[in-house]
Amino acid sequence: MNYTAEDIAEITGTKVIGDKQRIIKNIAFDSRIIYSTKNTAFIAINTQKNSGEKFIEAAIDRGIEIIISEHHHPYYKNITWIIVENSVEFLQKLAKYHYENSHIKSIGITGSNGKTILKEWLYQCLWNEFPTVKNPKSFNSQIGLPLSLLQINSSHKLGIFEVGISKPNEMEKLENIFHPQIGLLTHIGTAHLANFASEEDLINEKIKLFKNSEVIIYNGDNLLVDKKIKTLYSSKKLISYGFKENNHVNFKINIPKEDNVVVKYFDEEISFPVHQRDEATLTNALALVTVLKELGINNKNIIEKINALKAVEMRLEAIEGIKNNIVINDSFNLDLDSLKTALQFLNEYNKPKKSLVLTDIVGVNSNLKELYEEVSELVNEQKFDSVFLIGNEISKFSELFKSKTFTFINTQKLIESKHLTEIENQIILLKGARKFEIERLKDILELRKHDTVLEVNLNAILHNINFHKSLLKPKTKMMAMVKANAYGLGSYEISEFLQHHHIDYLGVAFVDEGVELRKKGITVPIVVMNPEQHSYETVIAYNLEPEIYSFRVLELFYEAVQKSGYDKKYPIHIKLETGMHRLGFKDFELDELIQVLNNKNLKVQSIFSHLSSSDLPDEKEFTLHQLEIFNKNSNYLIENLGYSPILHILNSSGITNYTDYQYDMVRMGIGMLGESPNSEIQKQLRSVVSFKTVISQISLVENGESIGYSRRFKTDHPTRIATIPVGYADGIPRLIGNQVGNVGINKTLAPIVGNICMDMMMINIDHIPNAKEGDSVTVFNAKPTLKDFAGYCNTITYEILTSISPRVKRIYVKD
Ligand SMILES: *Cc1c(COP(=O)(O)O)cnc(C)c1O
């Protein structure tokens, strides 16, 4: 977009204070990830949960000169204010105007699953056919969608936007802002179903997006969807896809596994290889083909585009580099949008100095000078220490870059220059088009190569949190349990990410865990569930909040508070015993508790309890009994304390099974890591943890030979055996050797044969002929899943995660 403040006021019926002629090209709503301040307005969005006005100061500190907010704060100088009545409605109004006055062709995607992946696939297939704009990440809500639409500029020809709703009556508002010409309805699942009276209501709500569409492409496997769309939209062009034969677009069946899949598109057949044959991927592939056909892409082109997709590894990864650097590797593709995303990502890290490696942007037809001017403006605002440009085109514009700038004709030349290996204590962003293969730089810059890693997908955590949040009332707070090193994944890294995403509380088990977080800069309130006797001074010194579960702890802690000279009411959390019989105050102790509390300078910040069996349907009666005791006893406390602390009792499966008892806060643990005992919920969650290693060696072992210690496995025919470098010292229980457990290679399970050694184990790969040395091996993630793996070990996923040895390198990715 490109408006003056005055234009915007006119469009939205709002008022400007200050310089009316300032130009606005971007609107930022998160002061922490402003990648460019020039022509950027900061909007303070007020929601039920948060007031964005808290962040105005931070935005102005970063250099923002235009603020959109519901109130004027006159003490900031030289700022243009757009004063609005309601920040969210303002954004929607502006977005509607902007969209309606653009000349793009638009695709609107909605459904329960697959929206983001389809949007990204479509984008990858189409961006070099038409200048294309899409939602950044999954910005698809009442706020996210308007912000996405505002990114449309005059050069765009196509817009691909996903639209998400979670409650009744939301779609109407969104459709009023955005009415796509082509509507795409993906799978309808059970997400958000709880907020609707029936599946039919959910469908009716979603398909409101297509009210003004010309074409509707939809997954017709769900017969109710098929019927609804046909009834409501009989006058529109309708194309259904899916596995069932009634669909216009489906698969030719009975294709052997190793052959190409064949899509039947009306009377045509289009065949291409697909490497992942799970149902979701295949269904998405059908949707993709259908949209591409609708946009007039020919079959040959479609096949090429789909083939190119398989190379997509669309992720930004942050890795620990040599010389205390952090390396952010984004060497998949390069265009302006993805550059912006990467610069945002960069700003989430706190390193004073940064450097950039950037290549030519390939495959664009626009004016190169304008393109690189825009690129250099974005880059200059970041104040990089050094900028390394690779490629003939971008090198021609090197004088546009204000940092120390070096140019190279190719990646090899940069490697030879040895510049990169001299960088110390910086954050280095590698951003390039695929053909430059700048991932080679990552290999050079990475601290150590680890064959065995535990990869943690932070965005999957966010997805899982948001999924659980979608079940809750907007006001309900959330505590994330990061005890035991965040269930083994790395307490600081996870907490820092959650803090960034405004988690309300963190929960740790012991004081040391809280101290570590404070020392590294975590400022969110932290509750210590089991504060040990001699640690109370530390609790206070580090501003941690103790769980108080007995009179002994209460007295000792209060003594420590008095000694410390703390002169306000210290926040504590009262644990009630309701049936778990672990820690907590019992019924008969309440009167005394009230008396003691009322005589002390302490503030009961929260009252809580813990469910022993929220995951077990058979224990519903017992759980309801626990909930009843909690209700009764917490009420009694509140009546006698004279104020209302935060109440909370639900853990992850409590959130999904006993949503009505959410009180003021819930405590998330395993659910955030993508695990649920309920298979319907499990489908809605994303897998967070991937334990991976590689094949060290493959041997063809002759018939009758034995494998490993104590000769527990003997071959009965010449057998291909692979050795992988993980063993019981890494946290793989020795009892899953001897064909109890499996690992995955190319999505195929391979049994562990013989006894597991300390640092290695052997697996049978006879049935996986294409496996090679150096290939990746999945200990758990998709196949086998963490749950499968826990099943081999005869235990629960919690124990598996917390048992992975610290020597297994944890790496964090955001996809
Ligand atoms: C660990 C823990 C949780 C989280 O439980 P999940 O089942 O992982 O969601 C919640 N509350 C308390 C008190 C805990 O100790």
Side-chain angles (χ1 to χ4, degrees):
M1 66 177 192
N2 191 350
Y3 298 106
T4 62
E6 190 171 25
D7 293 339
I8 289 190
E10 202 160 293
I11 294 165
T12 56
T14 50
K15 178 170 111 195
V16 183
I17 301 175
D19 182 354
K20 293 187 167 53
Q21 295 313 316
R22 280 203 169 119
I23 306 264
I24 301 176
K25 291 189 179 173
N26 300 300
I27 293 185
F29 75 107
D30 186 333
S31 56
R32 295 155 308 177
I33 49 171
I34 294 173
Y35 55 86
S36 157
T37 55
K38 193 169 167 208
N39 304 127
T40 298
F42 174 76
I43 182 164
I45 294 185
N46 290 336
T47 59
Q48 269 172 314
K49 271 201 163 158
N50 256 312
S51 162
E53 298 194 22
K54 285 189 292 209
F55 305 109
I56 290 179
E57 178 156 352
I60 291 177
D61 279 351
R62 293 203 69 141
I64 292 279
E65 294 174 328
I66 310 163
I67 302 284
I68 303 168
S69 89
E70 292 172 14
H71 304 99
H72 181 211
H73 303 261
Y75 42 89
Y76 298 108
K77 294 284 164 292
N78 195 28
I79 300 291
T80 297
W81 293 84
I82 301 180
I83 305 298
V84 303
E85 209 155 281
N86 176 311
S87 51
V88 176
E89 281 169 18
F90 161 87
L91 208 52
Q92 296 181 341
K93 200 162 181 183
L94 181 62
K96 176 179 166 76
Y97 173 91
H98 185 65
Y99 168 70
E100 287 178 349
N101 287 280
S102 73
H103 300 283
I104 57 166
K105 190 172 188 94
S106 56
I107 304 176
I109 311 177
T110 193
S112 309
N113 310 82
K115 294 188 289 289
T116 305
I117 183 100
L118 266 169
K119 178 196 70 189
E120 294 297 336
W121 279 6
L122 281 166
Y123 179 75
Q124 312 238 338
C125 290
L126 292 166
W127 73 275
N128 55 4
E129 301 277 334
F130 318 97
T132 303
V133 51
K134 64 173 169 107
N135 331 56
K137 306 185 188 169
S138 339
F139 277 18
N140 64 21
S141 61
Q142 302 286 331
I143 296 168
L145 180 69
L147 286 168
S148 304
L149 293 170
L150 289 171
Q151 302 205 336
I152 302 171
N153 65 36
S154 55
S155 68
H156 290 131
K157 293 271 184 301
L158 178 70
I160 310 173
F161 297 103
E162 51 167 300
V163 182
I165 56 151
S166 55
K167 293 198 211 66
N169 304 321
E170 288 184 328
M171 191 59 95
E172 210 159 295
K173 276 197 213 153
L174 294 176
E175 198 278 339
N176 177 39
I177 308 168
F178 171 57
H179 4 279
Q181 282 131 25
I182 300 180
L184 172 58
L185 180 68
T186 66
H187 172 79
I188 293 273
T190 50
H192 308 301
L193 196 51
N195 297 336
F196 290 84
S198 65
E199 185 184 4
E200 188 170 348
D201 283 3
L202 175 70
I203 296 170
N204 282 336
E205 184 69 27
K206 298 225 168 187
I207 65 178
K208 282 187 195 155
L209 178 62
F210 311 134
K211 198 166 104 191
N212 289 296
S213 301
E214 289 152 24
V215 186
I216 304 174
I217 295 169
Y218 64 98
N219 184 331
D221 280 345
N222 181 327
L223 295 179
L224 194 54
V225 168
D226 191 54
K227 188 171 131 214
K228 286 273 151 205
I229 290 195
K230 281 182 177 148
T231 327
L232 193 60
Y233 294 130
S234 56
S235 60
K236 299 183 192 290
K237 177 169 175 189
L238 304 178
I239 310 175
S240 69
Y241 65 88
F243 281 86
K244 295 201 178 132
E245 265 187 69
N246 60 306
N247 292 302
H248 302 116
V249 187
N250 55 27
F251 284 107
K252 195 165 160 181
I253 47 171
N254 297 330
I255 308 279
K257 254 205 154 4
E258 50 286 0
D259 286 10
N260 287 351
V261 296
V262 179
V263 170
K264 293 200 295 181
Y265 179 88
F266 293 89
D267 303 331
E268 294 174 55
E269 290 193 351
I270 309 167
S271 118
F272 48 85
V274 176
H275 294 268
Q276 253 171 281
R277 292 197 180 205
D278 56 288
E279 195 178 318
T281 306
L282 289 173
T283 317
N284 288 337
L286 287 175
L288 179 68
V289 169
T290 313
V291 177
L292 295 178
K293 286 294 278 185
E294 182 57 30
L295 291 172
I297 314 283
N298 69 34
N299 292 0
K300 178 168 159 283
N301 224 334
I302 288 177
I303 294 165
E304 272 170 23
K305 286 177 189 298
I306 289 180
N307 279 333
L309 269 188
K310 69 173 190 262
V312 173
E313 203 184 316
M314 223 201 17
R315 54 168 52 180
L316 278 159
E317 56 173 350
I319 44 186
E320 218 176 306
I322 51 170
K323 301 194 175 169
N324 203 24
N325 296 312
I326 295 175
V327 182
I328 298 193
N329 175 32
D330 185 7
S331 45
F332 160 66
N333 78 345
L334 174 58
D335 56 31
L336 270 178
D337 286 330
S338 73
L339 177 62
K340 286 178 192 168
T341 310
L343 294 176
Q344 278 180 11
F345 189 69
L346 191 73
N347 279 322
E348 290 180 25
Y349 286 83
N350 256 333
K351 282 256 181 197
K353 275 182 150 189
K354 38 196 177 182
S355 287
L356 170 70
V357 175
L358 188 66
T359 70
D360 285 353
I361 295 184
V362 292
V364 280
N365 311 318
S366 52
N367 178 325
L368 287 184
K369 180 152 178 293
E370 273 172 26
L371 175 69
Y372 287 108
E373 267 169 8
E374 200 168 337
V375 168
S376 65
E377 264 177 39
L378 283 173
V379 168
N380 288 339
E381 288 211 32
Q382 304 301 318
K383 308 211 169 29
F384 283 104
D385 185 61
S386 313
V387 170
F388 304 94
L389 304 175
I390 304 179
N392 285 327
E393 271 177 15
I394 197 165
S395 295
K396 281 188 213 138
F397 297 97
S398 65
E399 75 285 357
L400 294 173
F401 294 85
K402 295 207 187 100
S403 318
K404 260 185 283 167
T405 303
F406 306 85
T407 60
F408 304 89
I409 50 168
N410 58 34
T411 303
Q412 181 59 28
K413 287 278 183 265
L414 171 57
I415 294 173
E416 286 166 11
S417 79
K418 300 229 185 312
H419 277 301
L420 284 183
T421 46
E422 283 163 12
I423 297 177
E424 268 179 17
N425 206 11
Q426 293 198 16
I427 179 158
I428 307 171
L429 173 62
L430 308 178
K431 182 78 189 120
R434 203 163 184 82
K435 75 166 198 193
F436 288 94
E437 298 184 343
I438 61 170
E439 61 273 13
R440 291 171 56 204
L441 302 175
K442 173 189 127 181
D443 295 342
I444 294 167
L445 290 169
E446 194 168 2
L447 181 59
R448 243 179 305 154
K449 285 217 210 69
H450 294 272
D451 288 341
T452 304
V453 293
L454 194 71
E455 188 180 282
V456 180
N457 186 329
L458 295 174
N459 281 347
I461 293 183
L462 190 60
H463 167 92
N464 297 334
I465 287 184
N466 286 338
F467 169 76
H468 285 86
K469 274 197 177 160
S470 75
L471 305 174
L472 299 169
K473 300 190 189 114
K475 277 228 213 61
T476 307
K477 293 186 192 323
M478 189 173 275
M479 179 187 297
M481 301 307 295
V482 292
K483 62 194 182 205
N485 197 24
Y487 292 32
L489 304 186
S491 93
Y492 168 66
E493 288 80 0
I494 305 290
S495 300
E496 139 92 70
F497 179 76
L498 295 173
Q499 168 166 296
H500 186 83
H501 289 283
H502 303 300
I503 197 82
D504 300 292
Y505 270 88
L506 295 169
V508 298
F510 299 108
V511 174
D512 291 355
E513 299 175 332
V515 171
E516 183 200 331
L517 293 178
R518 284 283 184 258
K519 281 190 173 158
K520 292 184 170 167
I522 301 295
T523 53
V524 177
I526 299 177
V527 178
V528 182
M529 298 289 159
N530 205 341
E532 301 132 292
Q533 250 196 62
H534 301 291
S535 62
Y536 299 145
E537 282 161 30
T538 321
V539 167
I540 299 162
Y542 283 90
N543 191 18
L544 305 171
E545 302 179 11
E547 162 179 331
I548 302 289
Y549 54 84
S550 71
F551 289 114
R552 185 181 60 87
V553 176
L554 180 54
E555 292 299 339
L556 288 171
F557 182 71
Y558 191 56
E559 239 170 66
V561 172
Q562 284 176 314
K563 264 199 212 142
S564 74
Y566 191 90
D567 58 357
K568 292 198 276 304
K569 287 181 176 255
Y570 202 93
I572 59 168
H573 299 261
I574 296 289
K575 176 73 162 289
L576 298 180
E577 163 54 42
T578 55
M580 175 94 176
H581 295 296
R582 194 164 66 176
L583 297 176
F585 287 99
K586 301 167 190 69
D587 294 18
F588 64 85
E589 294 174 313
L590 295 183
D591 285 323
E592 188 183 344
L593 178 62
I594 290 160
Q595 208 184 2
V596 177
L597 287 172
N598 282 338
N599 279 319
K600 293 198 180 345
N601 207 16
L602 293 172
K603 169 157 191 243
V604 180
Q605 187 73 17
S606 87
I607 301 171
F608 74 110
S609 188
H610 193 44
L611 297 174
S612 72
S613 311
S614 62
D615 55 332
L616 301 179
D618 285 355
E619 296 294 354
K620 185 157 186 181
E621 203 180 320
F622 179 79
T623 305
L624 290 174
H625 184 60
Q626 272 198 288
L627 290 163
E628 192 187 304
I629 297 179
F630 180 66
N631 203 37
K632 188 170 103 236
N633 291 354
S634 58
N635 273 333
Y636 188 68
L637 279 182
I638 290 178
E639 275 166 29
N640 289 288
L641 284 173
Y643 58 97
S644 299
I646 298 171
L647 300 183
H648 48 116
I649 188 165
L650 300 182
N651 63 343
S652 306
S653 34
I655 298 172
T656 54
N657 296 344
Y658 299 91
T659 320
D660 289 347
Y661 297 87
Q662 56 191 276
Y663 291 100
D664 311 304
M665 181 155 80
V666 295
R667 301 187 304 269
M668 279 283 279
I670 200 85
M672 155 174 108
L673 309 183
E675 289 299 317
S676 167
N678 175 324
S679 60
E680 277 308 304
I681 302 291
Q682 184 68 60
K683 280 189 211 150
Q684 312 288 334
L685 299 178
R686 286 185 58 193
S687 139
V688 169
V689 193
S690 167
F691 189 174
K692 300 193 284 201
T693 186
V694 296
I695 299 179
S696 308
Q697 190 177 32
I698 293 179
S699 326
L700 186 62
V701 178
E702 282 175 27
N703 185 16
E705 294 287 314
S706 65
I707 308 289
Y709 284 121
S710 313
R711 312 193 60 200
R712 293 287 305 281
F713 180 79
K714 297 204 173 108
T715 54
D716 56 7
H717 62 280
T719 307
R720 264 163 56 88
I721 297 289
T723 303
I724 62 177
V726 286
Y728 56 78
D730 297 290
I732 313 239
R734 187 167 172 277
L735 60 83
I736 69 161
N738 297 309
Q739 300 167 83
V740 175
N742 297 283
V743 296
I745 295 176
N746 303 336
K747 304 247 146 71
T748 309
L749 293 179
I752 304 170
V753 287
N755 281 333
I756 294 178
C757 315
M758 189 182 292
D759 310 312
M760 280 176 266
M761 61 198 200
M762 277 65 89
I763 56 180
N764 186 339
I765 56 163
D766 231 16
H767 56 302
I768 314 175
N770 55 355
K772 311 182 295 303
E773 291 182 357
D775 277 2
S776 176
V777 178
T778 303
V779 179
F780 56 76
N781 177 32
K783 193 162 188 181
T785 61
L786 172 55
K787 230 191 226 89
D788 296 337
F789 191 83
Y792 307 148
C793 308
N794 212 348
T795 183
I796 51 175
T797 52
Y798 300 75
E799 186 181 348
I800 298 299
L801 290 175
T802 52
S803 309
I804 298 163
S805 151
R807 83 172 182 191
V808 176
K809 171 96 180 149
R810 271 71 172 165
I811 59 173
Y812 303 90
V813 302
K814 300 186 181 183
D815 61 7

